[in-house]
Amino acid sequence: MALLPILHYPDARLHKKAKPVAVVDDRIRRIVRDMAETMYAAPGIGLAATQVDIHERIVVIDVSENNDDLLVLINPVITWKSEETQVYEEGCLSVPGIYDEVKRAARIKVEATNEQGERYEFDAEGILAVCVQHELDHLEGKVFVEYLSPLKQSRIKTKLRKLEKV
Ligand code: NI
């Protein structure tokens, strides 16, 4: 197992679109294990492969209180979104120290493949729905700050660039 370095916004590699996983093999399972370890160590509740510079459609999520309910989403797809929305204050391991409100669908249906290569489905609401939508955005090369105003985005870029130079 290994901790993977996390890319920080505004790194251009965060804007690459991830490719589908063709086959869930030991290489993919190793990436999943390393991503889970990296997420728990951070600590965070979700991590997309894009954030560790792996541009394949893999996400790990654990929104449980005791960090004992790991969700592995390979080639995830949101198959349904409610018209009802919710506003949630989001953060991101790639945007350290920045939290802001984003409006997203309140409830979603998700289809994904697990680390055994089996397709499964689930419904999500609340923080899990937020997290799935946030992580799937990463696979499209989108970071949550892109939902904020241009002024806020440029302030965040300036702040994070300063931090990286320290
Ligand atoms: Ni994120």
Side-chain angles (χ1 to χ4, degrees):
M1 302 248 278
L3 288 180
L4 307 168
I6 297 174
L7 300 177
H8 285 164
Y9 183 81
D11 193 308
R13 291 169 288 181
L14 286 170
H15 302 301
K16 281 195 196 176
K17 192 177 153 99
K19 293 199 171 75
V21 171
V23 55
V24 180
D25 54 11
D26 287 345
R27 183 184 68 89
I28 297 297
R29 278 186 281 273
R30 186 185 182 90
I31 293 172
V32 166
R33 279 200 305 274
D34 289 346
M35 283 176 59
E37 194 186 1
T38 303
M39 173 184 73
Y40 287 127
I45 59 170
L47 187 72
T50 308
Q51 294 177 271
V52 289
D53 204 20
I54 296 171
H55 302 281
E56 298 181 63
R57 304 187 79 81
I58 308 169
V59 163
V60 292
I61 289 176
D62 191 339
V63 295
S64 71
E65 241 168 69
N66 300 319
N67 288 346
D68 58 2
D69 192 13
L70 180 66
L71 209 50
V72 175
L73 297 93
I74 298 166
N75 298 335
V77 180
I78 294 172
T79 55
W80 176 82
K81 281 184 183 193
S82 66
E83 278 181 25
E84 183 196 342
T85 56
Q86 63 180 341
V87 174
Y88 212 92
E89 185 169 80
E90 298 187 17
C92 179
L93 294 175
S94 293
V95 196
I98 307 289
Y99 300 88
D100 214 324
E101 289 184 337
V102 177
K103 184 164 83 174
R104 299 185 189 270
R107 286 170 293 120
I108 55 175
K109 284 187 191 296
V110 187
E111 212 183 281
T113 298
N114 65 19
E115 68 271 44
Q116 278 83 46
E118 302 152 345
R119 206 72 183 151
Y120 69 103
E121 266 186 305
F122 62 99
D123 297 334
E125 59 180 14
I127 187 152
L128 181 58
V130 171
C131 197
V132 169
Q133 291 172 83
H134 175 120
E135 301 309 332
L136 265 62
D137 274 353
H138 276 302
L139 300 181
E140 296 303 317
K142 186 164 183 175
V143 180
F144 86 98
V145 297
E146 291 170 62
Y147 290 101
L148 308 177
S149 70
L151 179 64
K152 276 187 178 172
Q153 288 183 45
S154 81
R155 280 185 185 152
I156 291 167
K157 277 182 192 163
T158 307
K159 191 173 170 185
L160 291 180
R161 282 198 181 111
K162 269 186 202 152
L163 283 179
E164 300 281 313
K165 276 175 198 147
V166 169

